[in-house]
Amino acid sequence: MAKTSTTTQGLRAAIERSGYYPALVAEAVEAAIGGEAIRSYLVHQETTFDANEVRRHVTVLVLTGNRFIVSHTDEQNADTTSPTPYATTSTESVKLGRISSVVVSRVVANPESYAPGTLPREVVLTIGWGAVARIDLEPAACGDPNCEADHGYTGNSTADDLSLRVSEAGDGPETVRQALAFAQSLSEATADPAH
């Protein structure tokens, strides 16, 4: 990763601003990017509550000319496998041609007075490339309330390899803007017939 690139420096600065093991996260992301130029990126640090524990994780999304890179880092408390707390970092590199869907859901307040360009209150970015599919099944039924026949099952299959939610209240307006910009860049890249 060329250290002179403005986009590369911006990515590094965003990882450092997240405050979440920046050296570890940056090394994993830079190794996945290799020498490719960065077209767009999004860094999202999130804190969750699990029973009485607070857990943090960071997701870094990077778009290059040929690939979509996802890096995810979680911290774990000491457990039976490790006497000390530890972090797990994974990266996945997806060829742009494999991305089958980019879904952007926007939540806006007072839609009756919406003005173009107004920042949504919340954005959910869902990206599918076929690595993960969820199947939801339920018993099928007919319209007869007295029917006791077995009608099998009905359901649906959803491909959502990655779903990322950002909100103005929780993440700030700049993160919402960055999520929208990244989604637009990714959508445009996947529409390119060269991929």
Side-chain angles (χ1 to χ4, degrees), residues 2 8 13 37 45 49 70 73 81 84 94 120 122 128 131 137 141 150 164 185:
T8 301
Q45 191 272 331
F49 301 94
V70 181
T73 304
T81 65
T84 60
V94 181
E122 178 180 310
L137 295 175
D150 183 356
L164 188 80
S185 294

Side-chain angles (χ1 to χ4, degrees), residues 1 11 15 25-44 58-72 89-97 99 125 127 129 162 164 182 186 189-190:
M1 196 153 115
L11 173 59
I15 290 171
V25 172
E27 181 179 57
V29 171
E30 289 172 0
I33 294 169
E36 288 188 75
I38 298 169
R39 292 172 61 179
S40 186
Y41 63 86
L42 175 63
V43 176
H44 183 250
V58 67
T59 302
V60 180
L61 309 179
V62 178
L63 176 63
T64 71
N66 299 308
R67 298 181 298 146
F68 166 62
I69 298 165
V70 181
S71 175
H72 190 79
T89 299
S90 63
T91 57
E92 182 172 2
S93 175
V94 181
K95 289 184 179 183
L96 288 177
I99 296 178
L125 174 60
I127 303 165
W129 59 91
L162 174 77
L164 188 80
F182 183 84
L186 184 60
T190 59

Side-chain angles (χ1 to χ4, degrees), residues 113-172:
S113 61
Y114 177 80
T118 302
L119 199 61
R121 183 172 73 192
E122 178 180 310
V123 171
V124 178
L125 174 60
T126 304
I127 303 165
W129 59 91
V132 176
R134 183 181 70 239
I135 298 176
D136 296 319
L137 295 175
E138 61 184 38
C142 68
D144 180 358
N146 297 320
C147 180
E148 294 181 10
D150 183 356
H151 295 286
Y153 288 88
T154 186
N156 58 51
S157 175
T158 308
D160 58 351
D161 297 298
L162 174 77
S163 190
L164 188 80
R165 177 187 169 271
V166 297
S167 70
E168 188 175 22
D171 304 297

